[in-house]
């Protein structure tokens, strides 16, 4: 490696992770904004976050602002892929591979959910597959952050919180699929999704704060 190459590589990694942080923040906020706007534009009776599935907001027949929700799925998914690949540069070996692959699985799944929306008759095969990829892949990213985050200097509260959120998210998915009728299907589905959205926002904010503090030192 030529003189200064290591310093240049470090600078590239820092710039990339800052861009990744911005991607996570923008993606998470975009998703929440799209869901809120689409819910406010719901046709007929008020949209229920506990009773209705998230994908209901993307069905043209019953959601006036379906395009907003489906666009939110696609934008968040695309940003997650880019941000996840950027974040993976903080790791090496298996950790980098795990973070990269799970991020792509989640992001592509979210994009598919937005492009192949559900219908009043239920979810199509592509939509169901995309939802599974998004929820499982996304919560696996959280588990990976919990497992490997310490290697990149992440604080203990962050790694423990990431791992815990990943477990909670997968448990929420299991309860949603079990269709127990407790709390409403929308509640458990949102538990499995909001863990990911919340992690995006927290991760993005943490990286940006750490970078600002490091410059101030």
């Amino acid at each position: 490696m030529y003189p200064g190459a290591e310093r240049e590589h470090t600078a590239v990694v820092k710039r990339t992770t800052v861009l990744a942080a911005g991607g996570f923040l923008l993606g998470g906020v975009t998703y929440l904004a799209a869901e809120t706007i689409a819910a406010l534009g719901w046709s007929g009776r008020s949209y229920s976050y506990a009773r209705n599935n998230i994908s209901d907001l993307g069905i043209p027949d019953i959601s006036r602002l379906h395009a907003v929700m489906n666009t939110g799925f696609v934008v968040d998914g695309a940003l997650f892929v880019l941000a996840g690949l950027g974040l993976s540069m903080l790791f090496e070996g298996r950790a980098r591979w795990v973070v990269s692959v799970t991020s792509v699985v989640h992001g592509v799944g979210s994009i598919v959910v937005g492009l192949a929306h559900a219908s009043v008759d239920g979810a199509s095969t592509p939509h169901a597959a995309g939802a599974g990829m998004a929820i499982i892949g996304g919560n696996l990213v959280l588990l990976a952050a919990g497992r490997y985050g310490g290697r990149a200097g992440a604080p203990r509260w962050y790694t423990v919180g990431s791992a815990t959120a990943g477990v909670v998210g997968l448990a929420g998915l299991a309860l949603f699929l079990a269709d127990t009728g407790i709390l409403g299907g929308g509640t458990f589905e949102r538990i499995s999704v909001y863990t990911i959205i919340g992690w995006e926002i927290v991760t993005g904010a943490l990286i940006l704060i750490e970078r600002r503090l490091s410059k101030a030192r």
Side-chain angles (χ1 to χ4, degrees), residues 42-81:
W42 184 252
S43 304
R45 62 178 179 176
S46 298
Y47 179 83
S48 171
Y49 276 68
R51 183 181 63 253
N52 290 104
N53 293 335
I54 298 173
S55 294
D56 290 348
L57 293 172
I59 300 176
D61 294 336
I62 57 177
S63 177
R64 288 183 296 172
L65 300 179
H66 59 90
V68 175
M69 187 70 254
N70 290 325
T71 299
F73 285 133
V74 173
V75 171
D76 182 37
L79 288 172
F80 200 103
V81 170

Side-chain angles (χ1 to χ4, degrees), residues 87-197:
L87 183 70
S88 71
M89 292 188 65
L90 292 173
F91 307 97
E92 296 180 353
R94 176 181 295 181
R96 176 176 293 184
W97 182 86
V98 171
V99 172
S100 297
V101 171
T102 52
S103 295
V104 171
V105 169
H106 167 75
V108 170
S110 184
I111 292 171
V112 171
V113 166
L115 295 179
H117 60 74
S119 70
V120 292
D121 297 320
S124 63
T125 299
H127 184 87
M133 291 170 62
I135 294 174
I136 295 174
N139 282 293
L140 288 179
V141 173
L142 274 58
L143 291 176
R147 174 68 176 84
Y148 303 116
R151 300 182 185 181
R156 178 70 174 170
W157 66 263
Y158 173 82
T159 57
V160 172
S162 295
T164 301
V167 171
V168 170
L170 292 176
L173 174 61
L175 290 170
F176 170 70
L177 295 176
D179 194 19
T180 61
I182 303 173
L183 299 179
T187 299
F188 290 123
E189 183 187 27
R190 282 181 165 79
I191 289 174
S192 69
V193 171
Y194 285 174
T195 51
I196 303 167
I197 303 302

